[in-house]
Amino acid sequence: MKKIFLSFIFLGLLCGVSSADVVYTATAGASAGIGLIKISSSSDITTSGLQYSNAGAGSIVAPYWENNTSNGNGTSKLILITPVDSTDTTISGDQAYIFSPSNLNTPENSAPIILTGTYGTPIISGTSPGAYLYLASNSAIREYATANFTLRNIYTVASSDSLPNPEVKGLMVDSRVHALIQRPTGSGDVIMHFDGQLKASSSTATNTTTGSQAMCSVSSGTAVAHNKGVQILSGSTSSDAVVTSDPVIAICRDTSSGFYYIEKGSSNFSLKHYKDKDNTTTIFNDVSVDTNRVQLMQADNNLLAVVIAGEIRFYNMANNSDAHVKTFSLSSLGGSAVSIAAATTSGNNGSSGGSGCQLGLRSEELGGLMLLALALFAVNKKKVIKL
């Protein structure tokens, strides 16, 4: 069975979502699990380690809204996805288990859900409330019904450029679906905005800076992280909020009008806070690039959660203090941290909105091969969007 070498791997894990707790996945050897970090206050943060540990290595977790009723009501859920890393097209995609945020010990489904057509850790975004879950990998966006996870539509972004094909780098879902698309050759990057069911006929595009890596919503518009800084898009205008010599690979809005971002230098990662055009501070700049994944997420109680070097760190965003509050090491987490997500047992969807705080990349693979093209399963409603 031929292995796929994963390159850039992103998660559409959303910031801007207030939640009492944070769930995470951690990998230990060939297996992984899901655990809970309890947030009682900005200074009272605890974890009891992994509560379920039978997942495959590299598994990620994301919240979504399960709409399984005729009147639009539903339930907040968590989806734990294990990537399938084979080019064997008889294997029908990544595997998933569903958890209630109130019970991480046992999944609700005894047999894994097969996410037809999605291979490798995908970008994930849900609707609030809504009946669909959107996953993106490579140049394709797929829409699944959350009642039964049947694949409803496949939308492939095509390009007139020479290979490699465009790659979806970010997803945000509100009343529309927004996809950040990196085009490796000369046509420039874009954010595609889809109405309805992602039909090409009802889509529009906003041009972005070449080398786009991630996006999130901010008070003044949409912030796009790219290889040379951060661009702010607002209506038909754009401006450079941050100019760097190194790639910005993760971004998350703060509690005011600014944002946090992670810059990847030649030998280290830096976490920085852009407060306004005259005020950017460095929170840390000493984490080696030889690490696993990085991710930013806004948590409850004005906390910023950071996955870095296999750890999960928390910083206080209140009054722009950015004070370090807590670090959970690999030993306390039960393995090397892979992903984090908001967890809620309330009536609101934990994946609501679309601020798009995201990123889960394996930095040891930055110099590796691009994700190999896989055969897509044909569906009746497949659309190709020509950029």
Side-chain angles (χ1 to χ4, degrees):
M1 190 174 289
K2 190 175 181 181
K3 297 287 183 182
I4 293 175
F5 295 90
L6 299 177
S7 183
F8 296 97
I9 304 177
F10 297 84
L11 318 178
L13 301 174
L14 307 179
C15 69
V17 178
S18 181
S19 166
D21 300 316
V22 169
V23 290
Y24 69 91
T25 58
T27 294
S31 63
I34 183 172
L36 181 70
I37 295 174
K38 297 284 292 183
I39 302 176
S40 300
S41 70
S42 60
S43 59
D44 186 3
I45 312 171
T46 60
T47 184
S48 55
L50 296 179
Q51 299 186 34
Y52 174 84
S53 56
N54 293 325
S59 295
I60 62 170
V61 63
Y64 74 97
W65 181 261
E66 180 186 67
N67 186 350
N68 53 9
T69 62
S70 59
N71 62 4
N73 293 327
T75 309
S76 291
K77 298 288 186 179
L78 297 166
I79 184 168
L80 178 70
I81 299 178
T82 298
V84 172
D85 62 350
S86 173
T87 56
D88 183 351
T89 56
T90 63
I91 297 175
S92 300
D94 292 350
Q95 299 181 3
Y97 286 95
I98 305 304
F99 289 83
S100 166
S102 61
N103 180 15
L104 300 183
N105 294 297
T106 307
E108 295 184 353
N109 51 313
S110 57
I113 294 166
I114 305 300
L115 297 168
T116 303
T118 295
Y119 294 87
T121 308
I123 305 167
I124 306 171
S125 191
T127 55
S128 173
Y132 310 116
L133 185 72
Y134 297 91
L135 286 79
S137 58
N138 296 332
S139 59
I141 304 169
R142 297 174 180 85
E143 179 186 73
Y144 298 85
T146 60
N148 52 20
F149 287 94
T150 55
L151 178 60
R152 300 183 74 250
N153 291 285
I154 297 176
Y155 303 91
T156 302
V157 184
S159 174
S160 58
D161 296 333
S162 59
L163 294 175
N165 284 327
E167 188 174 358
V168 180
K169 292 292 187 179
L171 271 182
M172 298 193 300
V173 179
D174 44 38
S175 60
R176 311 172 76 191
V177 177
H178 312 272
L180 177 65
I181 300 164
Q182 185 187 89
R183 304 178 71 189
T185 51
S187 297
D189 298 347
V190 296
I191 299 176
M192 297 294 295
H193 312 278
F194 298 97
D195 294 316
Q197 296 182 353
L198 303 176
K199 293 182 178 179
S201 60
S202 62
S203 66
T204 58
T206 302
N207 294 329
T208 70
T209 300
T210 299
S212 299
Q213 299 290 343
M215 65 177 172
C216 74
S217 67
V218 292
S219 61
S220 56
T222 301
V224 178
H226 57 84
N227 286 340
K228 296 297 180 181
V230 178
Q231 178 187 35
I232 303 295
L233 304 174
S234 179
S236 60
T237 64
S238 66
S239 61
D240 293 324
V242 175
V243 177
T244 66
S245 57
D246 297 312
V248 177
I249 59 172
I251 191 165
C252 180
R253 74 186 184 201
D254 64 12
T255 55
S256 183
S257 57
F259 53 84
Y260 296 89
Y261 64 96
I262 290 182
E263 189 176 332
K264 178 188 173 292
S266 59
S267 61
N268 65 285
F269 289 113
S270 299
L271 173 64
K272 298 182 179 181
H273 184 189
Y274 173 91
K275 300 171 185 176
D276 56 53
K277 64 179 181 179
D278 300 316
N279 190 358
T280 297
T281 59
T282 299
I283 299 172
F284 64 70
N285 62 0
D286 57 351
V287 177
S288 171
V289 298
D290 185 20
T291 185
N292 293 316
R293 295 180 184 241
V294 295
Q295 184 188 332
L296 300 175
M297 189 186 78
Q298 188 183 116
D300 202 11
N301 289 287
N302 291 319
L303 291 170
L304 176 72
V306 182
V307 175
I308 193 89
E311 300 176 336
I312 300 177
R313 303 182 182 185
F314 288 88
Y315 296 87
N316 192 342
M317 296 186 291
N319 301 316
N320 287 326
S321 72
D322 297 334
H324 176 252
V325 178
K326 187 86 170 184
T327 292
F328 292 104
S329 65
L330 279 67
S331 59
S332 60
L333 294 172
S336 178
V338 175
S339 69
I340 50 176
T344 177
T345 57
S346 69
N348 295 318
N349 178 19
S351 65
S352 64
S355 57
C357 252
Q358 57 190 86
L359 182 81
L361 69 82
R362 285 191 280 206
S363 61
E364 71 268 21
E365 297 159 347
L366 291 176
L369 298 174
M370 295 297 290
L371 186 64
L372 299 179
L374 292 169
L376 296 178
F377 290 85
V379 295
N380 292 332
K381 296 183 179 180
K382 181 175 181 180
K383 302 292 183 183
V384 178
I385 304 162
K386 195 75 170 179
L387 295 183

